[in-house]
Amino acid sequence: MMIKLPLAEYREAEIREYEGHPLINALPPINSPQATAKMLDRFPSVDEAEKLLPAHIRRHAMMRILDQFLYPTKSHLQLEQMISGMIRRGYLSRNIAASDYHRNLDDVAHTDFTAILRNAGNEALVSSVIGCSGTGKTTAVEAILRSYPQAIYHPDYQHCQLVWLKVECPHDGSVKSLCTHFFRAIDDALGTDYQALYVKSRSSAESMLGDVARVSALHSVGVLVIDEIQHLEKSRSGGAAKMLNFFVTLTNEIKVPVLFIGTPKALELFQPTMRSARRAAQFGSLDWGRFARTENTGSDEEWERFFKRLWKLQWFEHATPFTDEMMDLFWEYTQGIAHIAVALFYLSQVRAAVSGRESIDRAIVTKVYQEELAMMHPMIAALRSGREATILQFADLDIPREALRVHSALQKASYMPVDQKTQTDAQSSKLERLIAILGQTGIGEDIAPIVVEQALEERPDEDLFSLVAHIKKLEEKTSAQPEPKANPQKKEKLRPVYLEDDLRLTRDDDPEETYRSLKKRGVIIELSAYLR
């Protein structure tokens, strides 16, 4: 059953190319950067009455930090302009008011996409947003897409326009699974039944791709967003190459723009040849990085504005004042990744409320980072190392955690002078600093991480010097333990302990004597007395 869609309301075209294009003129007005910033800005409310609630209830209000906070950056404004241009330029050659529109639609219906897929052209309205996990790529794209109505119905043309469609690339990287996701997303948006119509057990990938193209043309898809594109694998029967060729064909033949979202691992798909790299950047590829920070004055203004705005979201009766030291600590533990910074701030505030401290301090933030964000430590360590190869590899978690942790820490300790190392340690986590110190004292790189984790678990609030002394004691205690003897003495045989009136004491080697003793104690009764 079709979903009731909003009816088209046409606006005056902003430029002459857009005049007489119902698909374009039914869209919201083109936003200015200021309007985009205001549209994307999300800041949850903190009610004064909620600050007096019990901690276990207050933490539920704090969850607004996780899903209702968005600070628009320059990258958000650039992305909005990119998507706005892709949708409108893609519609230029698909004018439903043109006399030849239905004829072109019939041509698409009879096109042999199997043949075209083998010889895709070079021109394409394809773009990409690439960045490491947690930087907010998907959140930003979804926020911008929601500023457009997903579907619009044009009564004068009896046409259903699908302005945008977002599909997540399946984890198995298969073409058929992606096509299934596509039809399911169409059905959810329009209330249609394409999945049941086109997804069959015997359907080939090529035929399903042809169906995807025809449905995209039928409903005038404005932009197709493919998230987690790095899941495409070259090893699956050429799935990656086949899929990329299809997307180029989709943009060439039907003029449907495609936007890829992925981690740096996705670059492997686009850069085997210069031709493939050009395909992914026809409309301006966007490198979606984390917040940058250098020693130059004013270079981290965006991080500072982001953090100051986040810091205002406190559910304490007396808010913890903002300090540069706290901002530096959050940078150390998050390396400018927005998602991790928001999560660390939320978890720290929850712990402060539940523990009754009602204030966020350095000890709470450090403890939360060590205990509740332990899975993030390898990625943060890689970013902190500044080594590009390590960062790109860890964006997709390709390297074992312990290997990177030891490698990055010991590498710092090996080539840094003592005075430089002291300055760097001020910006490193306690765990990494301890590993580096132990490496210099001669403890092997395979043992150091294990020993440090044990020491931090036993004494989490100790300073570095106390922890090093504690580790030395552990080492001495281990070495002082006596070696096990080759022929250990036999254990002394255990002696039974009897209770009062213990039946085991009535046992005798003579069965008849045992019977008489049990009968005398009343354990055995004479049944003949009860028989008549």
Side-chain angles (χ1 to χ4, degrees), residues 488-503:
Q489 295 181 354
K490 293 183 179 180
K491 293 182 180 180
E492 183 179 356
K493 187 176 181 180
L494 297 177
R495 297 180 179 180
V497 177
Y498 296 102
L499 303 175
E500 185 179 357
D501 296 329
D502 198 313
L503 292 178

PDB file of all heavy atoms in Angstrom, residues 488-503:
ATOM      1  N   PRO A 488      58.521 -33.633  45.008  1.00  0.00           N
ATOM      2  CA  PRO A 488      57.807 -33.080  46.171  1.00  0.00           C
ATOM      3  C   PRO A 488      57.362 -34.193  47.116  1.00  0.00           C
ATOM      4  O   PRO A 488      57.076 -35.323  46.699  1.00  0.00           O
ATOM      5  CB  PRO A 488      56.609 -32.380  45.525  1.00  0.00           C
ATOM      6  CG  PRO A 488      56.407 -33.065  44.217  1.00  0.00           C
ATOM      7  CD  PRO A 488      57.779 -33.466  43.759  1.00  0.00           C
ATOM      8  N   GLN A 489      57.337 -33.845  48.413  1.00  0.00           N
ATOM      9  CA  GLN A 489      56.916 -34.835  49.406  1.00  0.00           C
ATOM     10  C   GLN A 489      55.445 -35.164  49.249  1.00  0.00           C
ATOM     11  O   GLN A 489      54.654 -34.334  48.831  1.00  0.00           O
ATOM     12  CB  GLN A 489      57.167 -34.290  50.815  1.00  0.00           C
ATOM     13  CG  GLN A 489      58.656 -34.077  51.120  1.00  0.00           C
ATOM     14  CD  GLN A 489      58.847 -33.556  52.531  1.00  0.00           C
ATOM     15  OE1 GLN A 489      57.888 -33.260  53.221  1.00  0.00           O
ATOM     16  NE2 GLN A 489      60.098 -33.476  52.951  1.00  0.00           N
ATOM     17  N   LYS A 490      55.130 -36.419  49.641  1.00  0.00           N
ATOM     18  CA  LYS A 490      53.735 -36.825  49.564  1.00  0.00           C
ATOM     19  C   LYS A 490      52.919 -36.107  50.631  1.00  0.00           C
ATOM     20  O   LYS A 490      53.399 -35.829  51.726  1.00  0.00           O
ATOM     21  CB  LYS A 490      53.622 -38.340  49.777  1.00  0.00           C
ATOM     22  CG  LYS A 490      54.246 -39.150  48.663  1.00  0.00           C
ATOM     23  CD  LYS A 490      54.030 -40.632  48.908  1.00  0.00           C
ATOM     24  CE  LYS A 490      54.630 -41.460  47.774  1.00  0.00           C
ATOM     25  NZ  LYS A 490      54.431 -42.910  47.997  1.00  0.00           N
ATOM     26  N   LYS A 491      51.718 -35.806  50.264  1.00  0.00           N
ATOM     27  CA  LYS A 491      50.849 -35.124  51.206  1.00  0.00           C
ATOM     28  C   LYS A 491      50.451 -36.067  52.340  1.00  0.00           C
ATOM     29  O   LYS A 491      50.308 -37.273  52.147  1.00  0.00           O
ATOM     30  CB  LYS A 491      49.602 -34.616  50.489  1.00  0.00           C
ATOM     31  CG  LYS A 491      49.868 -33.527  49.480  1.00  0.00           C
ATOM     32  CD  LYS A 491      48.579 -33.044  48.866  1.00  0.00           C
ATOM     33  CE  LYS A 491      48.846 -31.938  47.856  1.00  0.00           C
ATOM     34  NZ  LYS A 491      47.603 -31.436  47.227  1.00  0.00           N
ATOM     35  N   GLU A 492      50.309 -35.488  53.541  1.00  0.00           N
ATOM     36  CA  GLU A 492      49.909 -36.291  54.704  1.00  0.00           C
ATOM     37  C   GLU A 492      48.490 -36.802  54.514  1.00  0.00           C
ATOM     38  O   GLU A 492      47.610 -36.071  54.063  1.00  0.00           O
ATOM     39  CB  GLU A 492      49.981 -35.422  55.961  1.00  0.00           C
ATOM     40  CG  GLU A 492      49.650 -36.203  57.219  1.00  0.00           C
ATOM     41  CD  GLU A 492      49.749 -35.314  58.453  1.00  0.00           C
ATOM     42  OE1 GLU A 492      50.137 -34.153  58.296  1.00  0.00           O
ATOM     43  OE2 GLU A 492      49.417 -35.800  59.557  1.00  0.00           O
ATOM     44  N   LYS A 493      48.296 -38.064  54.823  1.00  0.00           N
ATOM     45  CA  LYS A 493      46.999 -38.693  54.653  1.00  0.00           C
ATOM     46  C   LYS A 493      45.984 -38.062  55.601  1.00  0.00           C
ATOM     47  O   LYS A 493      46.255 -37.880  56.782  1.00  0.00           O
ATOM     48  CB  LYS A 493      47.097 -40.186  54.925  1.00  0.00           C
ATOM     49  CG  LYS A 493      45.813 -40.935  54.605  1.00  0.00           C
ATOM     50  CD  LYS A 493      46.015 -42.426  54.793  1.00  0.00           C
ATOM     51  CE  LYS A 493      44.734 -43.188  54.451  1.00  0.00           C
ATOM     52  NZ  LYS A 493      44.917 -44.640  54.633  1.00  0.00           N
ATOM     53  N   LEU A 494      44.834 -37.728  55.061  1.00  0.00           N
ATOM     54  CA  LEU A 494      43.805 -37.100  55.862  1.00  0.00           C
ATOM     55  C   LEU A 494      43.168 -38.097  56.810  1.00  0.00           C
ATOM     56  O   LEU A 494      42.955 -39.260  56.466  1.00  0.00           O
ATOM     57  CB  LEU A 494      42.733 -36.492  54.949  1.00  0.00           C
ATOM     58  CG  LEU A 494      43.198 -35.375  54.018  1.00  0.00           C
ATOM     59  CD1 LEU A 494      42.044 -34.941  53.123  1.00  0.00           C
ATOM     60  CD2 LEU A 494      43.732 -34.199  54.802  1.00  0.00           C
ATOM     61  N   ARG A 495      42.862 -37.635  58.028  1.00  0.00           N
ATOM     62  CA  ARG A 495      42.211 -38.474  59.021  1.00  0.00           C
ATOM     63  C   ARG A 495      40.734 -38.090  59.132  1.00  0.00           C
ATOM     64  O   ARG A 495      40.410 -36.911  59.145  1.00  0.00           O
ATOM     65  CB  ARG A 495      42.884 -38.312  60.388  1.00  0.00           C
ATOM     66  CG  ARG A 495      44.342 -38.759  60.383  1.00  0.00           C
ATOM     67  CD  ARG A 495      44.944 -38.580  61.755  1.00  0.00           C
ATOM     68  NE  ARG A 495      46.329 -39.011  61.781  1.00  0.00           N
ATOM     69  CZ  ARG A 495      47.100 -38.960  62.873  1.00  0.00           C
ATOM     70  NH1 ARG A 495      46.603 -38.468  64.016  1.00  0.00           N
ATOM     71  NH2 ARG A 495      48.348 -39.368  62.809  1.00  0.00           N
ATOM     72  N   PRO A 496      39.874 -39.113  59.218  1.00  0.00           N
ATOM     73  CA  PRO A 496      38.441 -38.804  59.302  1.00  0.00           C
ATOM     74  C   PRO A 496      38.090 -38.154  60.636  1.00  0.00           C
ATOM     75  O   PRO A 496      38.717 -38.435  61.660  1.00  0.00           O
ATOM     76  CB  PRO A 496      37.773 -40.166  59.142  1.00  0.00           C
ATOM     77  CG  PRO A 496      38.800 -41.137  59.621  1.00  0.00           C
ATOM     78  CD  PRO A 496      40.129 -40.566  59.226  1.00  0.00           C
ATOM     79  N   VAL A 497      37.071 -37.326  60.622  1.00  0.00           N
ATOM     80  CA  VAL A 497      36.552 -36.686  61.837  1.00  0.00           C
ATOM     81  C   VAL A 497      35.143 -37.226  62.053  1.00  0.00           C
ATOM     82  O   VAL A 497      34.279 -37.079  61.193  1.00  0.00           O
ATOM     83  CB  VAL A 497      36.534 -35.159  61.686  1.00  0.00           C
ATOM     84  CG1 VAL A 497      35.928 -34.514  62.939  1.00  0.00           C
ATOM     85  CG2 VAL A 497      37.938 -34.633  61.451  1.00  0.00           C
ATOM     86  N   TYR A 498      34.939 -37.856  63.238  1.00  0.00           N
ATOM     87  CA  TYR A 498      33.652 -38.475  63.522  1.00  0.00           C
ATOM     88  C   TYR A 498      32.799 -37.575  64.399  1.00  0.00           C
ATOM     89  O   TYR A 498      33.302 -36.842  65.250  1.00  0.00           O
ATOM     90  CB  TYR A 498      33.852 -39.826  64.231  1.00  0.00           C
ATOM     91  CG  TYR A 498      34.564 -40.851  63.377  1.00  0.00           C
ATOM     92  CD1 TYR A 498      35.903 -41.115  63.571  1.00  0.00           C
ATOM     93  CD2 TYR A 498      33.872 -41.535  62.392  1.00  0.00           C
ATOM     94  CE1 TYR A 498      36.565 -42.060  62.790  1.00  0.00           C
ATOM     95  CE2 TYR A 498      34.512 -42.474  61.601  1.00  0.00           C
ATOM     96  CZ  TYR A 498      35.857 -42.726  61.802  1.00  0.00           C
ATOM     97  OH  TYR A 498      36.512 -43.633  61.031  1.00  0.00           O
ATOM     98  N   LEU A 499      31.494 -37.649  64.165  1.00  0.00           N
ATOM     99  CA  LEU A 499      30.538 -36.926  64.980  1.00  0.00           C
ATOM    100  C   LEU A 499      30.007 -37.826  66.082  1.00  0.00           C
ATOM    101  O   LEU A 499      30.226 -39.034  66.077  1.00  0.00           O
ATOM    102  CB  LEU A 499      29.378 -36.425  64.107  1.00  0.00           C
ATOM    103  CG  LEU A 499      29.768 -35.540  62.922  1.00  0.00           C
ATOM    104  CD1 LEU A 499      28.530 -35.229  62.094  1.00  0.00           C
ATOM    105  CD2 LEU A 499      30.417 -34.245  63.399  1.00  0.00           C
ATOM    106  N   GLU A 500      29.300 -37.188  67.001  1.00  0.00           N
ATOM    107  CA  GLU A 500      28.704 -37.987  68.087  1.00  0.00           C
ATOM    108  C   GLU A 500      27.627 -38.903  67.523  1.00  0.00           C
ATOM    109  O   GLU A 500      26.830 -38.484  66.674  1.00  0.00           O
ATOM    110  CB  GLU A 500      28.101 -37.046  69.141  1.00  0.00           C
ATOM    111  CG  GLU A 500      27.582 -37.788  70.362  1.00  0.00           C
ATOM    112  CD  GLU A 500      27.015 -36.841  71.392  1.00  0.00           C
ATOM    113  OE1 GLU A 500      27.086 -35.616  71.148  1.00  0.00           O
ATOM    114  OE2 GLU A 500      26.521 -37.310  72.417  1.00  0.00           O
ATOM    115  N   ASP A 501      27.616 -40.184  67.994  1.00  0.00           N
ATOM    116  CA  ASP A 501      26.681 -41.206  67.503  1.00  0.00           C
ATOM    117  C   ASP A 501      26.823 -41.415  66.004  1.00  0.00           C
ATOM    118  O   ASP A 501      25.839 -41.683  65.293  1.00  0.00           O
ATOM    119  CB  ASP A 501      25.228 -40.843  67.833  1.00  0.00           C
ATOM    120  CG  ASP A 501      24.968 -40.811  69.328  1.00  0.00           C
ATOM    121  OD1 ASP A 501      25.634 -41.580  70.054  1.00  0.00           O
ATOM    122  OD2 ASP A 501      24.122 -40.004  69.755  1.00  0.00           O
ATOM    123  N   ASP A 502      28.053 -41.279  65.508  1.00  0.00           N
ATOM    124  CA  ASP A 502      28.312 -41.483  64.078  1.00  0.00           C
ATOM    125  C   ASP A 502      28.097 -42.953  63.745  1.00  0.00           C
ATOM    126  O   ASP A 502      28.667 -43.850  64.397  1.00  0.00           O
ATOM    127  CB  ASP A 502      29.744 -41.065  63.746  1.00  0.00           C
ATOM    128  CG  ASP A 502      29.943 -40.828  62.260  1.00  0.00           C
ATOM    129  OD1 ASP A 502      29.505 -41.682  61.447  1.00  0.00           O
ATOM    130  OD2 ASP A 502      30.540 -39.802  61.902  1.00  0.00           O
ATOM    131  N   LEU A 503      27.252 -43.265  62.760  1.00  0.00           N
ATOM    132  CA  LEU A 503      26.937 -44.642  62.397  1.00  0.00           C
ATOM    133  C   LEU A 503      28.146 -45.384  61.874  1.00  0.00           C
ATOM    134  O   LEU A 503      28.183 -46.626  61.912  1.00  0.00           O
ATOM    135  CB  LEU A 503      25.823 -44.656  61.337  1.00  0.00           C
ATOM    136  CG  LEU A 503      24.450 -44.183  61.826  1.00  0.00           C
ATOM    137  CD1 LEU A 503      23.457 -44.208  60.674  1.00  0.00           C
ATOM    138  CD2 LEU A 503      23.958 -45.081  62.963  1.00  0.00           C
TER     139      LEU A 503
END
